[in-house]
Amino acid sequence: MMTPEWEQTDWKRLTAMRDRFLKHSADPTDYWQSREDVELYDRTFAQRIAWKIESVLRELKTRRWVPPEAPILDWGCGSGVAGRAWLDAYGKPEGEGARLSLWDRSGIARSFARDKAKLRFPQAEIVELKDAAQAEAAAEGAVVIISHVANELSLSGLEKLQPMLRRAAAVVWVEPGTSPMGRLLPKYRDEMADLFRPVAPCPHALVCGLRTEANQGHWCHHFGEAPAVAFSDPGWVRFGQILGVDLRSLPYSFLVLERKAVPVTTLASPPLLGRVIGRTSEQKGRMEVLWCTDTGAGMRELQKRDSGKAWRWLHKIREAPLFLPSADDGKRIAAPLPWPDAE
C-alpha cells in the first residue's frame, strides 16, 4: 500500500520534469516554479541522485580517504541532496562545526535546500549564496561538490566552471553515467593535473588511459546499487512504471580530486593496481572487464577457473567494483589477493 505522500504525487508534473531532464539542454529557465515542485523533486529524482552520491562516498571510505577540514560548497545544489549526503558521511552529529554554502540559479531551490539542511543539521552553519560571484568566492579553499549539473550548462558555462574549481581544496563531482559526461570528467581531471591529484575513481595519477584513440568507444562510468526500498516500496515501484525508470540501474560518472599543496589524506589505502570501469560482460567461464591501470586502459579477461573468489564478487555485487589489487599480464586479470569476501 502506498503512503499518502505517494498517493498525492503529481505524476504529470514529474513526467514533465523528466522530459526536461532528458533534453540535456542549457535552458536558462528553471525546473521549479514553486516550492512544491522542489519538494516533489527532492523525494523522487533527487533520491536517485543521492543513491549515486552515497555509492561514491562508500568508495571514498573504502579507499580510506580523509577529506580536508574545509567549508563545503554545494554548487548547483538543486534541492541540496549532495550537501546533505556529504554531511551525513563526513560531518559531526547535527553538523557541529560545519559550514555548508549552497548555490543554485533557482532561488526557490536554494531556499528549500537551506531549510532542509538546517532541519537535519541544526548545529551547522548553512549559507544561502545569492549570486554566482558569491559562489565563486566560496569555492576558495573549500570542498566543492557538484552533482548532475554539467549537462545543463552551455559551453561557455562549462568554460567558466574550471577557474572556480581550481580554487578548491577538493572537488567531488558526480554526473549521469552517459558517454558525454564519462568523457568530460577525465578531460577536467587531466586539465587540472597541475594543481590536483586524483583520489577516485582513478588507480593512478597519470594521464587518463580512456582518453586515447584506441578507447574512443569507452567512457568512465560506474553503477551504484539501489537500496531495498526501491524495490519493496509500492510508491517507488509505481514511480518506475510511470516514469519509465529502471530502478535497478544507477549509472553515474564521478571524479574526486584533492589539491597537491596539502598532504596526502588517504590513510593506509589498500593497494590499487587497477579498477574495473562500467559493467562486466559475463559469459560461460569468463568475464570481459574494462580495466584501468597506470599502464593504460582496455578490455581484459577474467577466467573463472583462475580466480573463483574474484568471479563471485563481481557476479554478486552489482555496485562493482571497488578494487582489484592483482597482477595483470596484459591479457587476463590474475587471481587477486586479498579480495573482499563473497559467498
Side-chain angles (χ1 to χ4, degrees), residues 9-320:
T9 297
D10 185 342
W11 298 106
K12 288 185 177 180
R13 180 58 183 152
L14 276 180
T15 301
M17 283 186 191
R18 179 161 172 78
D19 290 344
R20 167 74 184 278
F21 299 154
L22 293 176
K23 288 181 181 178
H24 302 305
S25 65
D27 190 331
T29 60
D30 292 333
Y31 296 126
W32 306 292
Q33 302 304 311
S34 68
R35 190 177 178 91
E36 289 72 24
D37 285 347
V38 187
E39 172 66 40
L40 182 60
Y41 170 85
D42 187 65
R43 64 182 179 83
T44 53
F45 293 113
Q47 288 308 303
R48 284 178 51 79
I49 291 175
W51 298 341
K52 297 179 185 183
I53 294 169
E54 287 161 4
S55 291
V56 170
L57 297 177
R58 280 193 292 272
E59 173 161 347
L60 293 178
K61 286 182 176 289
T62 300
R63 290 172 181 259
R64 301 170 191 156
W65 182 62
V66 180
E69 293 185 7
I72 305 133
L73 169 62
D74 187 351
W75 192 93
C77 64
S79 64
V81 293
R84 297 198 303 268
W86 181 268
L87 287 180
D88 279 334
Y90 287 111
K92 295 179 181 178
E94 297 191 332
E96 181 184 356
R99 176 185 171 92
L100 171 63
S101 296
L102 301 162
W103 161 246
D104 195 281
R105 68 185 183 185
S106 168
I108 297 173
R110 294 196 307 268
S111 174
F112 178 93
R114 177 201 62 205
D115 293 346
K116 190 100 174 183
K118 281 186 175 180
L119 186 64
R120 185 178 297 184
F121 306 105
Q123 299 300 317
E125 181 183 1
I126 311 297
V127 181
E128 179 187 349
L129 304 175
K130 301 299 184 181
D131 55 46
Q134 287 186 353
E136 185 172 351
E140 186 71 40
V143 174
V144 178
I145 304 172
I146 303 176
S147 175
H148 289 66
V149 297
N151 61 349
E152 300 175 23
L153 297 175
S154 64
L155 182 59
S156 63
L158 283 171
E159 290 174 348
K160 293 175 183 176
L161 193 55
Q162 188 175 144
M164 180 197 71
L165 295 179
R166 293 177 71 88
R167 305 176 69 172
V171 176
V172 180
W173 193 348
V174 185
E175 293 290 349
T178 61
S179 174
M181 295 298 102
R183 292 185 169 95
L184 177 72
L185 297 190
K187 174 178 178 291
Y188 271 71
R189 170 199 185 276
D190 288 351
E191 288 178 354
M192 298 197 294
D194 57 325
L195 290 179
F196 294 92
R197 53 177 165 257
V199 174
C202 314
H204 61 83
L206 305 177
V207 173
C208 176
L210 289 175
R211 299 186 66 210
T212 63
E213 186 174 350
N215 283 318
Q216 285 185 348
H218 301 304
W219 64 95
C220 192
H221 67 293
H222 321 277
F223 289 88
E225 191 165 10
V229 69
F231 312 106
S232 62
D233 187 316
W236 276 112
V237 173
R238 187 160 176 76
F239 173 89
Q241 292 170 342
I242 293 178
L243 276 300
V245 175
D246 183 356
L247 296 175
R248 299 166 300 175
S249 181
L250 285 174
Y252 62 94
S253 297
F254 82 107
L255 178 64
V256 179
L257 305 172
E258 65 180 356
R259 185 169 286 274
K260 290 179 178 179
V262 299
V264 174
T265 53
T266 303
L267 301 179
S269 176
L272 181 55
L273 303 182
R275 192 193 196 284
V276 171
I277 305 297
R279 292 276 196 211
T280 59
S281 175
E282 186 174 334
Q283 300 175 29
K284 186 175 181 179
R286 68 187 183 89
M287 282 183 183
E288 289 188 346
V289 177
L290 180 56
W291 177 242
C292 178
T293 74
D294 58 2
T295 60
M299 299 304 297
R300 299 290 187 269
E301 184 177 277
L302 174 65
Q303 293 282 350
K304 186 175 184 179
R305 64 174 181 266
D306 292 339
S307 180
K309 204 170 186 181
W311 177 281
R312 289 192 298 274
W313 176 259
L314 289 175
H315 175 78
K316 179 182 178 182
I317 305 299
R318 293 309 171 194
E319 191 174 85

